[in-house]
Amino acid sequence: KQSAFVSRDDGKTWAAPVPMFPAGGATVSKERAVAVTKGGTVVVAFLNLDTRSPGYWNAKAADFVPGVRLDVWAARSADGGKTWATAVVQTGYSGAVRGLVSAADGGLVLVTQDVARNPARHVTTAYRSTDDGKTWARAECRGADGKARPFFDVGGHGHHDGAIEPTVEVLKDGRLWMLIRTPTGRFWEATSADHGATWGGFQESAIPASSAPGMLKRLADGSLLLVWNRLIFPNGRSIVL
């Protein structure tokens, strides 16, 4: 949670752990994502457990507790994991960090989530870094209504409702494709044609899915791999694409 391990033989052996935060202030959660920039900088985006508030959901009020917090941070190493520097990406509350990619122009794109209230729900948002993870800017998201916001919103009410747990990959034409967990029976999707600075095309995707996260990855042969939970009907049948 506070150390990095380096392997130089494809994971067969690992060097002794290197403290990532010798001065303290950060603990990496299980929600984390790793990317390597074109210049070779290793960047880890993660939920910083040291910022976590003591409460999360007030069942009686059907709302997040006041001041709910779990910040998104990033750590970067330009020397192969020997030393690390940190940056704060988002303050507030995020419950998932699953998508971090190097865009076609060399920038970094991170997709994560935030909370909204009245009613309480999750929304999905994205960040971009053009300096190997030193600083991060929040993206512009154009919803299904065409309006620009700092997040994507499908509505809902609940501690795991809304637009949640996004995943992202780079398409062969350089665009970015985001898939978002929702309770609607399908992933919702969005795309970016400017390397993550702005996002549009927010709509239901053609992929039926349960209310569970997916994971997109680009394979070595160029294919896209999606791992997800298919939608199960009461009679036990599932939709197969």
Side-chain angles (χ1 to χ4, degrees), residues 43-215:
V43 179
V44 183
F46 60 95
L47 301 182
N48 182 0
L49 295 178
D50 285 9
T51 67
R52 181 169 51 183
S53 57
Y56 167 57
W57 183 257
N58 184 326
K60 185 176 181 179
D63 198 357
F64 299 107
V65 300
V68 65
R69 185 171 177 183
L70 184 53
D71 294 353
V72 180
W73 281 35
R76 66 190 184 280
S77 175
D79 56 10
K82 296 177 182 177
T83 59
W84 296 82
T86 59
V88 178
V89 181
Q90 173 182 293
T91 58
Y93 183 86
S94 175
V97 172
R98 310 267 175 89
L100 175 65
V101 293
S102 180
D105 69 341
L108 289 168
V109 175
L110 169 66
V111 294
T112 182
Q113 64 187 60
D114 206 339
V115 296
R117 297 180 185 266
N118 301 316
R121 65 199 183 279
H122 289 281
V123 293
T124 281
T125 189
Y127 294 85
R128 172 169 164 78
S129 174
T130 58
D131 54 12
D132 288 358
K134 294 179 183 178
T135 59
W136 297 83
R138 196 161 187 166
E140 175 187 287
C141 301
R142 291 197 171 272
D145 59 3
K147 293 182 179 180
R149 299 180 178 87
F151 52 77
F152 288 123
D153 188 4
V154 298
H157 185 195
H159 54 73
H160 276 71
D161 207 353
I164 188 171
E165 296 173 344
T167 183
V168 66
E169 256 301 346
V170 184
L171 299 177
K172 289 184 177 180
D173 62 6
R175 290 180 302 137
L176 290 156
W177 184 36
M178 186 194 310
L179 289 178
I180 304 167
R181 168 187 171 180
T182 75
T184 66
R186 290 181 181 271
F187 286 120
W188 277 59
E189 65 182 354
T191 56
S192 173
D194 56 7
H195 313 296
T198 61
W199 293 81
F202 184 55
Q203 61 186 1
E204 275 195 334
S205 78
I207 305 173
S210 62
S211 183
M215 182 65 73

Side-chain angles (χ1 to χ4, degrees), residues 205-231:
S205 78
I207 305 173
S210 62
S211 183
M215 182 65 73
L216 275 172
K217 286 296 177 184
R218 176 73 65 185
L219 302 181
D221 67 357
S223 302
L224 272 179
L225 172 70
L226 171 63
V227 180
W228 88 109
N229 288 343
R230 295 183 302 204
L231 186 63

